[in-house]
Amino acid sequence: MKPLASDHPFQILLAVVLAVAALLAVSMVTPLGISAYLANAIGQLAAFAVLALALDLIWGYLGILSLGHGLFFGIGGYVVAMHLLRHSSEVTGRVPDFMQFMGWSSYPFYWAGLDFFPYALLVAAVVTVLISGVFGYVSFRSRVDGVYFAIITQALVYVAMLLMFRNDTGFGGNNGMTGFLVLFGWPIGGSGVVIAMAVVSVLLLAAVLLGCRLLLGSNFGVLMIATRDDEVRLRTLGYETLRLKLAVWCLSALIAALAGMLYVPQVGIINPRLLSPELSLEIAVWVAIGGRGHLIGAVIGAMSVNALKFWLSAAAPELWPFILSGLIVLVVLVFPNGLVDLAKLKLTRPMGIKRLASEPELR
Amino acid sequence: MRRLFLILLFLSAAVGSSTAAELDRAELIDRLCGDAAALGEAGRSLMGVAAEGSTADRAWAAPIARAMMDRKLTCDGAGAVAITADGSRDALSGAPRTAAESGRSPLLSLKNRSVFEMADAALALRSSSDLGRRAAALRTLERQAVTLPELLFESAAAEESDPVLRAQISAVAEAAALNSVDPAKRIAALQRIAATPDRRALAKVGPLTKDPAYAADPAFKGAVDATVRKIERGIKIGDVLATLYNGLSFASILFMAAIGLAVIFGLMGVINLAQGELIMIGAYATWLVQEALQRFAPALTEYYLIIAAPVAFLVTATIGIALEAVLLRHLYRRPLMSLLATWAVSLFLINIVRVTFGTQNLNLVTPFYVTGGVPVIGDFIFTWNRMFAIAFAAVTLGLTWSLIRLTPLGLNIRAVTQNRTMAGCIGIPVRRVDMLAFGLGSGLAGLAGLALAPIYSVNPQMGQNFIIDSFMVVVLGGVGTIVGTVVAALGIGQVNVLIEPLWGAVAAKVIVLLMIIAFLQWRPEGLFAIKGRRK
Amino acid sequence: MAVALLIDAVTVEFGSFRAIDGLSLAIDFGEVRAVIGPNGAGKTTMLDVASGITRAKQGRVIFDDAIDITRSSESDIARAGVRRKFQKPSIFEGLDVRQHIAIGAQGGLRRTLSSYALAQRVDDVLAEVGLADLALRPASELAHGQKQWLEIGMVLASQPKVLMLDEPVAGLTDEETERTVALVRKLRRPDRAIVVVEHDMDFVEQIADRVTALHEGRTLFEGSMQDARADARVVEVYLGR
C-alpha cells in the first residue's frame, strides 16, 4: 500500500466525497437545484458505500468473505428504528401500530432507554460486537474459513431473518417498523432534515473511508494483508491471527451497523427483508464489481450498482435481475478486479483482457 | 346426570320393545297421521324396521321416513300419500295417487323430528344404494349412536360393501357399545378399542373415568384403566415412530438437495449457490412431462413421476455441464468468486422461469401411488407420499454410491477429489471429470426437484427454501463424502423434526445452526472429512 | 551439549494412514541436521508436528530440554524460538520484501523491538539473504530462488533457536544453490539448531553435520552423510545405486 501522501486516486476520491457533502450542505441554505429526492438518493448510496467498505475490509484485505453482513447492517437499522419509534410515540402518545396489533399497551423492557440517542448507539455497538465477537471467535478458533465461512454466515443472516419475521418478538415482525415522525425533534419528512441526513451520511462515508485507509496503511494493515495472503505462514511467524481476524471482523461488523443506522432513517422503514441472504450477497457483488481489495472499488461499486438499480427499478424492473446477473458474470470472468481493472485498462496499463483474466487473483 | 341416564335407558327399552313385533304397515300409517305421541311411536317403529325388519319392509319404510322428514307425507281420508322420488304414491300400497285437497301434512315436534331423523338415516344406511348417502347417514347416526339398537350397526356393517364405510360403521357401533347399559358389553367394547390405540380412541375412553359406573363398578374401572394405559402406550410408540418417519422423510429431501452439492463441493471446492434453482428446474421439468403426458398420452399421466425422472435428470445435468463449461471452469482457483458467479446463475434462472411460467404455484396431479397411507399404531400413518420421497432418496443414494464406487467415472471423480494435481499427472482428464461430475451433481438436484414436486409447492422461488439447509448438510457432513451427507442429512432432519413441535420451525432452524457451529468447534472439517497434510 | 529439539516417540495418523510411526529424533544446539528420505517418509509431517500445524496422536516434542511444545499453538511455538520455512515458498503476495522481513523480525502482535532496532534488524537480514537491493519490490515479482531466500530471511529475522528449512534449494539453479549453502553455513551458531529437509544430496553433504534417513514414518539411519551413502538400507529405499 502506497503512503497516503502519494496515493492520488484515494485523495481524489476523498476530495470528491467531501465536495459532495459540501455541495449538499450548501444546498440546505441556498437552492442549488438539488432536490430532497436526489439528496435522499445520494444519502442512501453513501450508506451502501459504507456497508461495502465494511465488507471490503474483511474480504478484500483479510480474505474472509461474509455473506451475512446484512445481519450487522440490520442490527444498526433496527436499533435506530427503535430509537425513532420511541420519539414518534412521544408525538402520537401511543405505542407503534404493530404493538397495538399484538395487544401491547406499553413497550417491552428491551425498548427502555432507547429514546436516549447515545444509549441507542451504545446498544447497537454492544449487540453488534457481541454477536460478531462470539460468532467470529468460535469460527476463527476452529479455523473455519473460505467457502465454509461464507455459507455459515449466510445461514446466520437467514436464521436472523426468520427470527425477525416472527411477530411476537417485539421488533415489528413481518411488517417491520415504519412511521418514523421525528429525528432529534425535527420532523423527519422535511426537506431540510432529509438533506441533513444525506450530508451526515456522506461525511461519515468520508470518515470511514479515511479511517480504513489509515488502518490499512499502518503496521496492522500490513498484517491484515499478510493474513489474507498466507495465514499459516503468518501464524508460524509468531502471530496470533485469531485475535487479528477477530478485531478486524468486529470492526467491519461495527461499520456495517453504522451503515444500517444511516440507511434506515433515510428510507423510513425497516423490515426483515433487509436480512435476506440476497441482500448480503448483493453487498459482495457491489464490492466485486467495484474491485475487491480497493477501498475506491468498494465505494464506486456500491454507488454505481445501486444507482443503476434505483434507476432501473423505476424504468424496467423486470430487467434488473438479468442485468445484475450479467454484470456479475462479466466481472467474474473478464474483470476479476472489477471496475478497477477497467480503469487500468484505459488509463495506465494498456494490456489485453485475456491477460487480466489470467492474473492471479486474491485468494 | 343420573336422570339423563335413566331417560336413555327408557328410550332404548322403548325402541327395543317396539321392534320386537311384526311390522303392521297400516297401523304405522295410522300412527303417522296421529297425534304427537303416536308420531313418536311411529318413528321408533321405523327405527325398529331399520334395525331388524325384512328387506321388503325396509325398502317400503325408507321413502316414508324421508317423506316425513321433508314434510311430503299427506294424511287424508283414504290413508296417507307420500311424494317420493318416484312421484306421488299411496303410502301403504305404493300405488300412484294424489292426496285429497283436504289432506294434512303432519308436522314433527322438535323431539319427534330427531327420532325421525335417526330412523330416516338408519333406513338410508341400510337400504340406500348411494355410498355418499350411506356415509352421510352414518354421520347423522353417530351423533346419537348410544340410543340406537346395536343390531342396526351390526347388520349394516355386515352388509356394507365399501371397506372404508364398513370400518366407520364398526367404529360408531363400538363407541355405542362403549356407552351401553350392559357392563359386559362395555368391557368387551373397551378391549376392542384398545386394539387400535390412537388419540381418537383415547378421546372415547378418557371421559369414561367420569362415568358413574367407573366409580361404582371395580371391574369396569379396571378395564377402563387398563385400556387407557394400553392406548397411551400405543400413542407414545406411534408418536415416536411418526417423528422418526417424518424426520426420515425430511432427511430424504435434505439428502436429495445436498448430495449434488456435496459431490461438486468435494471435487472442486465450489459451493453451487444455484443448486436450489436446479432443484426448481427439476420440478418444472417434471411438470412439463406431466403436461405433455396429459396431452399426448393421458393414460400414462398418473405415472409422470416415474417417466419424468430421466427428463429431470438430463435437463438439469445439461444446464450444469453448460454452467461448468462456460463459467466455473475459469474459477477453480477462486472459490469465493465462484460463489458470486453461481449466485448470478441462480438469479438468472429464477427470473427466466418467472418470466416464462409466471410466479404462481404449478398444479401437479397427485398420483394414486402417493395418496393415502396405512395406519400403523397410535396416530402414526405410513403415508405414501413421504414413503415416495424416502424410497426415491434411497434409490438415488444407491445409484450415486454405485456410480462413485463402481464405475470408471466414479474412480476418476474420487481421484480428482483427493488430489487434483496428482490425478492430472497420471493422465486423468481432470477437466472432463469436472464437467461430468458437475453434470452429475446438477442432475441429482433435478431428481430432488422431481421428488419434491408432488409434496411441496412448485414455483420459481422454491429452491431458496432448501438451499441453506442443504449447505448445512454439506458443512456438517464434510467435504465430498456420501456417507457424511447421508449422516448429516439424517441428523439435521431428525433434529428439526424433534424441535419443531416443541418450539416451532424457526427455533428448530436456530438451534440446528447453533449446533452446527458448536460441532465445528469439535470437528472443523465436518463429520467425515478426508484428512491429510497441508498442501 | 543441550538438546534443542527432541521428538520423542511421536505418532501421527491421517485417517487410517500412519504418516509417522513412533519416530524419535534429538537435534542438538550448534548442529545442522539433514533429514532425508523418499516421498511419503514423513519428513514434512515431522516438521508440521514440530511447528504445531499437525497434532501428534502420541508422543512429545520438547524444545530446549525443558519446554513441552507438543500441544502449543503455531504462534506460541514460533515465539518460543522454533521457526520453519515451508516446502512451497510461502510469501505474502500483497507485500513488499522489506515488509516481509519486518513481519518476521517483529515476531508477534506485541511489539518487541523499537522502530530503530527493527529497521536495523531488517537491514541486517536483507543483507544476509542478499535481497537488500530488492527491499521495496513487491514479493510477488521475485524469482523463485529469491522467494526461497526471502522466506528464509523472514524466518531468520527473529533470530530463532531452532531453524527448520523444508527443501530450501528445490528448484534452484546451481549458482543459487551455492549461495544457499553459504547462507546456511553462516547461519550455524552454537546456540542454534538447524534442521534441513532436502532431496539434493550434494547440498546435504555440504551443509549437514549429521543425517537422519526416514522411511515409512520411522528412522532408518542416523549418522554422517558418508555413512549414509554406504548404508545398504538407505541405498535400497532412497538413494539408489
Side-chain angles (χ1 to χ4, degrees), chain C residues 137-211:
Chain C
R137 276 285 184 86
S140 54
E141 291 176 9
L142 295 185
H144 176 74
Q146 292 167 328
K147 284 183 184 173
Q148 295 271 33
W149 291 327
L150 175 59
E151 201 187 351
I152 294 177
M154 239 192 315
V155 175
L156 186 63
S158 65
Q159 300 175 336
K161 295 203 177 112
V162 174
L163 184 59
M164 303 186 285
L165 306 174
D166 199 350
E167 305 201 7
V169 296
L172 263 54
T173 63
D174 288 347
E175 193 204 330
E176 287 169 334
T177 304
E178 279 310 310
R179 279 184 64 180
T180 309
V181 168
L183 177 60
V184 173
R185 282 187 175 153
K186 248 192 327 190
L187 293 179
R188 158 194 264 160
R189 277 170 24 178
D191 59 347
R192 175 180 290 161
I194 301 179
V195 185
V196 180
V197 168
E198 191 45 76
H199 286 295
D200 184 336
M201 285 309 118
D202 295 331
F203 173 76
V204 168
E205 190 143 38
Q206 289 183 68
I207 55 148
D209 301 313
R210 272 198 297 173
V211 170

Side-chain angles (χ1 to χ4, degrees), chain B residues 288-515:
Chain B
L288 284 174
V289 167
Q290 178 207 271
E291 293 296 295
L293 285 174
Q294 251 165 12
R295 182 165 302 176
F296 302 112
L300 293 173
T301 306
E302 287 260 300
Y303 297 95
Y304 75 95
L305 281 179
I306 295 149
I307 298 167
V311 180
F313 183 87
L314 286 178
V315 167
T316 46
T318 310
I319 294 177
I321 287 177
L323 193 60
E324 200 279 338
V326 175
L327 199 53
L328 293 170
R329 166 146 304 183
H330 309 287
L331 299 175
Y332 285 143
R333 293 193 306 125
R334 301 188 282 155
L336 296 181
M337 276 297 178
S338 66
L339 278 178
L340 296 192
T342 53
W343 183 64
V345 172
S346 123
L347 202 62
F348 177 79
L349 290 176
I350 291 176
N351 284 285
I352 200 87
V353 169
R354 215 187 55 197
V355 169
T356 319
F357 295 93
T359 47
Q360 76 286 0
N361 287 339
L362 294 186
N363 285 319
L364 281 120
V365 179
T366 311
F368 66 90
Y369 45 87
V370 293
T371 9
V374 182
V376 182
I377 185 169
D379 295 303
F380 171 43
I381 298 172
F382 195 77
T383 47
W384 293 119
N385 59 359
R386 288 184 189 277
M387 195 59 223
F388 175 76
I390 294 171
F392 203 86
V395 170
T396 310
L397 168 62
L399 288 178
T400 314
W401 189 87
S402 321
L403 190 97
I404 299 277
R405 285 280 145 188
L406 306 177
T407 65
L409 173 65
L411 184 65
N412 285 349
I413 289 179
R414 278 182 290 146
V416 178
T417 300
Q418 282 175 19
N419 193 333
R420 174 168 287 269
T421 323
M422 190 63 85
C425 290
I426 60 171
I428 293 174
V430 174
R431 288 287 144 120
R432 235 175 80 86
V433 170
D434 283 344
M435 200 163 81
L436 291 174
F438 209 91
L440 171 67
S442 308
L444 289 171
L447 289 181
L450 180 143
L452 285 169
I455 312 175
Y456 286 80
S457 33
V458 175
N459 58 48
Q461 299 282 343
M462 69 180 288
Q464 307 280 308
N465 300 330
F466 302 101
I467 194 70
I468 290 188
D469 283 321
S470 42
F471 288 163
M472 293 302 103
V473 170
V474 175
V475 169
L476 184 61
V479 175
T481 80
I482 297 182
V483 187
T485 312
V486 173
V487 174
L490 283 173
I492 293 181
Q494 290 297 352
V495 170
N496 252 304
V497 170
L498 280 177
I499 298 173
E500 247 184 63
L502 297 177
W503 296 299
V506 173
K509 291 244 186 314
V510 175
I511 292 172
V512 166
L513 177 68
L514 293 180
M515 280 167 66

Side-chain angles (χ1 to χ4, degrees), chain A residues 64-189:
Chain A
I64 300 169
L65 174 59
S66 162
L67 293 181
H69 249 44
L71 174 60
F72 308 118
F73 189 62
I75 292 174
Y78 266 102
V79 171
V80 82
M82 289 160 90
H83 167 75
L84 292 172
L85 277 184
R86 297 246 25 182
H87 281 293
S88 305
S89 279
E90 286 167 10
V91 176
T92 59
R94 290 179 289 121
V95 295
D97 291 346
F98 70 85
M99 287 195 185
Q100 291 175 33
F101 292 141
M102 297 293 296
W104 299 353
S105 55
S106 63
Y107 284 104
F109 71 92
Y110 43 84
W111 282 65
L114 283 173
D115 45 345
F116 183 52
F117 188 69
Y119 174 70
L121 266 183
L122 184 73
V123 166
V126 167
V127 172
T128 303
V129 169
L130 215 61
I131 293 181
S132 63
V134 170
F135 178 76
Y137 178 76
V138 296
S139 303
F140 299 146
R141 198 191 74 96
S142 56
R143 312 251 161 107
V144 171
D145 59 5
V147 174
Y148 263 52
F149 187 82
I151 59 180
I152 291 179
T153 49
Q154 196 187 16
L156 191 70
V157 75
Y158 177 68
V159 159
M161 176 181 77
L162 293 181
L163 272 179
M164 293 316 255
F165 263 124
R166 293 185 60 118
N167 286 322
D168 55 4
T169 50
F171 296 107
N174 195 16
N175 297 318
M177 301 183 199
T178 187
F180 312 135
L181 299 175
V182 286
L183 175 70
F184 300 126
W186 293 301
I188 212 163

Side-chain angles (χ1 to χ4, degrees), chain A residues 56 59-60 284-294 297 327-345 351-363, chain B residues 330-331 333-334 336-338 340-341:
Chain A
D56 199 20
W59 186 26
V285 169
W286 308 337
V287 175
I289 288 179
R292 180 160 78 100
H294 302 269
L327 269 178
I328 298 169
V329 170
L330 188 73
V331 158
V332 156
L333 287 187
V334 185
F335 303 111
N337 296 310
L339 293 174
V340 171
D341 270 347
L342 206 60
K344 274 190 198 158
L345 203 66
M351 53 178 164
I353 284 171
K354 261 259 177 287
R355 168 88 179 79
L356 272 174
S358 61
E359 228 180 0
E361 185 226 23
L362 308 169
R363 190 166 52 91
Chain B
H330 309 287
L331 299 175
R333 293 193 306 125
R334 301 188 282 155
L336 296 181
M337 276 297 178
S338 66
L340 296 192

Side-chain angles (χ1 to χ4, degrees), chain C residues 39-60:
Chain C
N39 285 324
K43 306 183 298 291
T44 297
T45 304
M46 183 193 86
L47 296 192
D48 282 348
V49 170
S51 49
I53 290 171
T54 300
R55 290 269 168 262
K57 190 165 182 278
Q58 282 160 23
R60 301 178 303 160

